[in-house]
Amino acid sequence: MLLNLLRKPSSAAVSAVNSHLSATLPPLFSTLRRPHPDPFIETQPLTKPSLQTLILTHYHNAKFHNLLQNVVASPTLLLTASHNLRKCTSDSSPPRLSLDSVSTQFFSVQELSFQLNTNSFDVASCCVPIFPDKGKPLVLPNLKLKVVLEAIRIVLEFIYDDRFTTFCYGGRANMGRHTAIRYLQNSVENPSWWFSVKFDDELFGAKHVDKLCLILGEKIEDDALIELIRRLFDCNVVNINLSGNCLARGLPQECALSSIFINVYFDRFDKEVQEIRLKTNKENPKFKENELVQGEDDLSNVFYRPLKIYAVRYLDEILIITSGTKMLTMDLKNRVVKFLERDLDLRVDKMRTVIHSAVFEKIDFMGMELQGVVPSVLRRQITPKAIRARKKYLRQKEVRLLELKNKRERNRKKLGMKLLSHVFKKLKQSNGFKFDFRIENEVRQIFSTWADEVVHEVLKSVDERWEWHRDLSGGDFLSLGRIRDQLPEELIDAYDNFQRQVDKYLKPVKAKRELEEELRRRDEEEEQKYAERTVEDLTKRCIKVDAPLELIRKAIRMVGFTNHMGRPRPISLLMVLEDDDIIKWYAGVGRRFLDFFCCCNNFRKVKIIVGYHLRFSCILTLAEKHEATKGETIRHFTKDLKVGNGGEEVYFPSEREVKMMGDKNLSDPKPVDGALTMALIRLASHEPCHRCITHFCDRNDTIVYRIRLLQKHLNASPLDARNWVPGLGAIHDSLDRKCAPLCSHHISELYMGRLSLQDIDCTSFVDVD
């Protein structure tokens, strides 16, 4: 009902919605003008229907009104945002948050709600700058401001998520990186030319923020909310760096609002591309096979390829694919670049935004390599082991057929010997065959009468002649109904018993014939499929997605997993950790590598590279720590690196877990940047107990860990393309050597990669001399 009211807003509809809400919801917080608790405010997080009802109440005249005061400032929405910030893994089940628990232990939700409602919330006071040794400081929001950012994100996601185009990925529910890759692999056919839009490295300036606010103002009429968003950009809490490596990385310098702001800003561009696609599809309709007319002189099949335009945008990465000519793709590229520069005020790097052949050239997109190939390339290659298994199966099939043949001959011989021995025995006992009654005359008369009646009918049809000839010549004439009705019952019973015995001995022969028929049918189906694949390979092309193996090798070599010859080596920085923490750190890096590239076609090679080097580097690190040999370490921890009190916990992913990776992961997988470029070292000194800095964790039994960054340990700069891996993000230098108190559960989650630095309050670091 609410959706129908949304499509046709009117005064009657608005009054109906208000009357419905007054009966189902408590009074909204917009009437509250005091910071003390209100007994009518709901203390539980909002469900999705309740959130939808709350936001739609303020929709009229095709716009949303007073969202900051009536929705964002609602204590229930702030409590919902707090629940979203607290990442709960499957292994933990912490108690649910309530307004009293959050207000008592962290900050006053009622006071924050009152400040947002009265537009007196000070953004600058909630920002904490962290100064590095060199360079600009990093401005991070505290926990209170993070809750406000999450509340704004929830509201904007509800308003805009359903309005985005289908090829808009990133920062959306169930529309992440893996979903975009599946679309490219399954939906894009016959790509001929493509290009990727590259932007100059620039931050969102004042003109971009103004344009973003104008776009938001088209659907939201709330000056207070728009002004709050401006203050977030002015205080550097929200930063959008196009063509950077900080988007969807889980790094602390990344804001949760950046993704949805980028999608809102590029929504006009998406609509423009969608219009181009619809116009092209209308001008180039797709015909069915029966609608294609073949020429008289053309003896080959007719293959029709309609002109198609495909588009995929993952945040600020844009890929346009066409199945037409290069001139058409060039005109499309010029139109796209002109729209981005003129309407969105973005600077496109025209030196890198070039057209590539989809068949003969690879293109980099979302950290992966794309290329158009025939379907046979994507099919799994037959390994030598599979070839040997196939030959073994064929040999076993031949042996089974030979055994069935020998068994049939043996059964025939046994049956014949039994018949001969039985006849010889009766003949010796009775000195000849004797019958109690003679039926020769009766049988002769029956056959004579039957023959006279049947001859005339048989001569009428050729098919009936063949059928009778086959039955009579096969010895099955006693199975005919006309004959059985005229013969004695004793003879019929004896014949049926004899036939059952024959069927019993001839059953293997029948099974052999059925097996031969099944094998022949399968061979025909395989030949037909092979013929169809051959035609498909000549007429169709699809997209192959590969992981950049050289960059992966360079990354594990840069970190120190391997030496300059590519062999595993220990990492001395990790020897101060406990054995469990060392294994968890390696397992967390490996899981993120595999989870990020599990949708690639060469995932098997990624699994071999990552699994082998990380496992043996971990074994060598443990061996060097305990001054033991590699063999002794393997015997103690096993190759699966089992740890725990009973030695049964395995943190490295098993083969079954690797096969299941990506099946249910429709959102963005967390890249390896945060786990690979950071190590948490436990302090040797005993510090006073502090509260765990993970979002809304109330545990005080914490241990202080010091953050060690990779670039500082290697003395390498992320800006140096020769020494740094292209596309690998880096944590800001200001977090190096900062001390973070963490509880035992959350430090394990950080090591395993289930939590990132965005899930902790980086403004609550403790100072340790």
Side-chain angles (χ1 to χ4, degrees), residues 210-222:
D210 294 339
K211 186 173 289 294
L212 175 64
C213 293
L214 289 176
I215 297 175
L216 293 172
E218 295 176 358
K219 297 301 297 180
I220 301 173
E221 189 167 338
D222 190 350

Side-chain angles (χ1 to χ4, degrees), residues 631-732:
E632 294 174 348
T633 307
I634 292 177
R635 283 193 296 272
H636 180 74
F637 292 99
T638 72
K639 286 187 178 181
D640 294 332
L641 295 172
K642 296 181 179 180
V643 294
N645 296 329
E648 297 297 333
E649 291 190 55
V650 179
Y651 295 108
F652 274 86
S654 61
E655 285 293 329
R656 183 174 183 180
E657 291 177 345
V658 171
K659 291 180 180 179
M660 296 297 292
M661 280 184 175
D663 290 347
K664 298 181 180 180
N665 189 7
L666 299 179
S667 59
D668 286 322
K670 294 181 179 179
V672 75
D673 308 65
L676 184 66
T677 59
M678 178 192 67
L680 294 170
I681 309 300
R682 179 175 178 176
L683 295 184
S685 61
H686 295 283
E687 298 296 328
C689 294
H690 299 273
R691 179 182 294 168
C692 180
I693 64 173
T694 310
H695 293 163
F696 297 102
C697 179
D698 55 355
R699 292 181 60 176
N700 293 321
D701 52 339
T702 59
I703 301 174
V704 180
Y705 292 83
R706 190 182 296 275
I707 298 176
R708 297 293 300 274
L709 299 184
L710 174 67
Q711 61 266 27
K712 293 293 184 179
H713 178 68
L714 301 176
N715 197 17
S717 175
L719 301 178
D720 188 2
R722 297 179 59 184
N723 298 328
W724 197 262
V725 179
L728 182 66
I731 302 173
H732 198 270

Side-chain angles (χ1 to χ4, degrees), residues 19 42 58 77 97 122 133 183 195 236 252 340 380 396-398 414 426 435 441 493 525 534 590 597 601 605 636 668:
S19 61
E42 186 69 30
H58 307 284
L77 184 61
L97 293 176
D122 188 6
D133 297 336
Y183 169 75
F195 63 92
N236 294 325
L340 292 172
R380 188 176 181 180
Q396 291 177 351
K397 185 174 71 171
E398 293 176 357
K414 288 182 179 180
K426 291 294 184 182
F435 296 94
N441 296 330
D493 294 340
E525 291 180 357
T534 304
F597 294 110
N601 296 106
K605 296 181 179 180
H636 180 74
D668 286 322

Side-chain angles (χ1 to χ4, degrees), residues 344-492:
L344 299 183
D345 291 331
L346 300 176
R347 292 186 301 175
V348 179
D349 189 352
K350 298 180 181 179
M351 296 297 295
R352 295 189 299 162
T353 305
V354 294
I355 298 175
H356 298 272
S357 172
V359 180
F360 301 104
E361 297 179 86
K362 292 183 179 180
I363 191 170
D364 296 332
F365 184 64
M366 294 192 303
M368 304 175 192
E369 298 176 351
L370 311 181
Q371 187 178 10
V373 297
V374 294
S376 59
V377 177
L378 298 180
R379 299 191 187 102
R380 188 176 181 180
Q381 299 293 333
I382 301 179
T383 60
K385 183 178 179 181
I387 295 175
R388 292 194 299 269
R390 177 66 178 175
K391 291 181 179 179
K392 181 180 178 180
Y393 167 73
L394 293 177
R395 288 195 301 268
Q396 291 177 351
K397 185 174 71 171
E398 293 176 357
V399 170
R400 286 198 302 269
L401 292 177
L402 182 60
E403 290 178 352
L404 289 174
K405 181 179 178 181
N406 295 336
K407 188 175 182 179
R408 182 186 61 183
E409 297 295 337
R410 184 171 60 253
N411 291 337
R412 286 181 178 178
K413 185 177 180 180
K414 288 182 179 180
L415 180 61
M417 293 300 296
K418 286 184 178 181
L419 290 174
L420 288 175
S421 62
H422 180 72
V423 171
F424 182 72
K425 181 180 179 182
K426 291 294 184 182
L427 185 62
K428 286 179 63 177
Q429 291 178 355
S430 59
N431 295 326
F433 292 103
K434 295 182 179 180
F435 296 94
D436 296 336
F437 58 91
R438 306 189 63 83
I439 62 172
E440 289 86 350
N441 296 330
E442 288 82 355
V443 172
R444 187 180 298 110
Q445 184 179 1
I446 290 172
F447 271 88
S448 177
T449 306
W450 168 78
D452 294 337
E453 295 178 354
V454 170
V455 166
H456 300 287
E457 297 181 2
V458 172
L459 296 178
K460 294 180 181 179
S461 174
V462 179
D463 297 335
E464 291 183 0
R465 289 185 227 167
W466 277 107
E467 184 179 354
W468 283 104
H469 175 73
R470 183 168 58 252
D471 293 339
L472 293 174
S473 61
D476 297 334
F477 58 91
L478 289 180
S479 61
L480 300 176
R482 296 185 179 182
I483 298 176
R484 295 174 66 91
D485 295 341
Q486 303 180 39
L487 294 178
E489 294 183 0
E490 293 81 1
L491 181 60
I492 298 299

Side-chain angles (χ1 to χ4, degrees), residues 145-163:
L145 184 54
K146 280 189 175 183
V147 172
V148 176
L149 295 176
E150 179 64 19
I152 297 174
R153 190 201 63 81
I154 292 173
V155 174
L156 294 181
E157 181 184 21
F158 174 81
I159 295 174
Y160 286 99
D161 192 69
D162 294 338
R163 292 177 171 85

Side-chain angles (χ1 to χ4, degrees), residues 479-691:
S479 61
L480 300 176
R482 296 185 179 182
I483 298 176
R484 295 174 66 91
D485 295 341
Q486 303 180 39
L487 294 178
E489 294 183 0
E490 293 81 1
L491 181 60
I492 298 299
D493 294 340
Y495 171 76
D496 292 341
N497 188 20
F498 174 76
Q499 192 67 33
R500 283 193 295 269
Q501 297 296 327
V502 172
D503 293 339
K504 179 180 179 181
Y505 285 105
L506 295 182
K507 188 175 182 180
V509 180
K510 184 178 180 182
K512 179 250 183 182
R513 291 177 180 175
E514 293 179 354
L515 178 61
E516 291 179 348
E517 182 67 22
E518 180 67 19
L519 294 176
R520 185 185 63 80
R521 185 181 61 82
R522 290 183 180 181
D523 292 339
E524 291 179 354
E525 291 180 357
E526 290 181 359
E527 291 178 358
Q528 183 179 1
K529 290 181 180 179
Y530 177 76
E532 293 177 356
R533 289 177 180 177
T534 304
V535 176
E536 184 183 18
D537 291 347
L538 297 175
T539 60
K540 179 183 176 182
R541 290 191 180 274
C542 48
I543 291 182
K544 178 184 179 183
V545 181
D546 284 343
L549 300 180
E550 292 301 324
L551 293 182
I552 294 176
R553 291 191 180 98
K554 184 178 179 181
I556 62 178
R557 184 171 61 250
M558 181 185 69
V559 176
F561 294 114
T562 59
N563 54 19
H564 65 282
M565 298 180 64
R567 296 176 180 174
R569 61 176 296 272
I571 299 179
S572 58
L573 179 65
L574 302 176
M575 294 180 187
V576 297
L577 299 178
E578 299 291 338
D579 294 344
D580 295 1
D581 295 339
I582 293 176
I583 296 175
K584 289 177 182 178
W585 186 83
Y586 276 97
V589 174
R591 281 180 180 272
R592 285 197 176 187
F593 260 124
L594 298 177
D595 193 23
F596 189 80
F597 294 110
C598 66
C599 56
C600 298
N601 296 106
N602 60 345
F603 177 66
R604 186 170 61 89
K605 296 181 179 180
V606 177
K607 183 181 66 173
I608 294 174
I609 294 173
V610 174
Y612 170 75
H613 292 97
L614 266 65
R615 283 179 187 271
F616 279 93
S617 176
C618 181
I619 291 173
L620 293 175
T621 303
L622 293 171
E624 187 169 339
K625 174 187 175 182
H626 296 285
E627 297 181 355
T629 62
K630 183 174 70 174
E632 294 174 348
T633 307
I634 292 177
R635 283 193 296 272
H636 180 74
F637 292 99
T638 72
K639 286 187 178 181
D640 294 332
L641 295 172
K642 296 181 179 180
V643 294
N645 296 329
E648 297 297 333
E649 291 190 55
V650 179
Y651 295 108
F652 274 86
S654 61
E655 285 293 329
R656 183 174 183 180
E657 291 177 345
V658 171
K659 291 180 180 179
M660 296 297 292
M661 280 184 175
D663 290 347
K664 298 181 180 180
N665 189 7
L666 299 179
S667 59
D668 286 322
K670 294 181 179 179
V672 75
D673 308 65
L676 184 66
T677 59
M678 178 192 67
L680 294 170
I681 309 300
R682 179 175 178 176
L683 295 184
S685 61
H686 295 283
E687 298 296 328
C689 294
H690 299 273
R691 179 182 294 168

Side-chain angles (χ1 to χ4, degrees), residues 195 197 269 272-273 276 318 320 329-342 348 353:
F195 63 92
V197 180
F269 169 78
E272 179 70 15
V273 175
I276 296 175
I318 302 171
I320 306 294
T329 310
M330 189 176 299
D331 294 339
L332 180 61
K333 188 201 75 168
N334 295 333
R335 183 174 177 180
V336 167
V337 172
K338 183 179 179 181
F339 183 88
L340 292 172
E341 293 180 342
R342 181 191 60 192
V348 179
T353 305

Side-chain angles (χ1 to χ4, degrees), residues 158-212:
F158 174 81
I159 295 174
Y160 286 99
D161 192 69
D162 294 338
R163 292 177 171 85
F164 293 142
T165 56
T166 55
F167 57 85
C168 169
Y169 299 91
R172 304 178 59 188
N174 299 331
M175 294 287 285
R177 192 182 304 265
H178 286 172
T179 314
I181 293 299
R182 290 173 187 172
Y183 169 75
L184 291 173
Q185 292 175 333
N186 301 328
S187 301
V188 179
E189 296 182 358
N190 301 319
S192 56
W193 301 94
W194 53 23
F195 63 92
S196 177
V197 180
K198 304 293 184 181
F199 297 99
D200 290 338
D201 192 3
E202 64 171 342
L203 289 171
F204 252 41
K207 59 180 181 179
H208 301 109
V209 176
D210 294 339
K211 186 173 289 294
L212 175 64

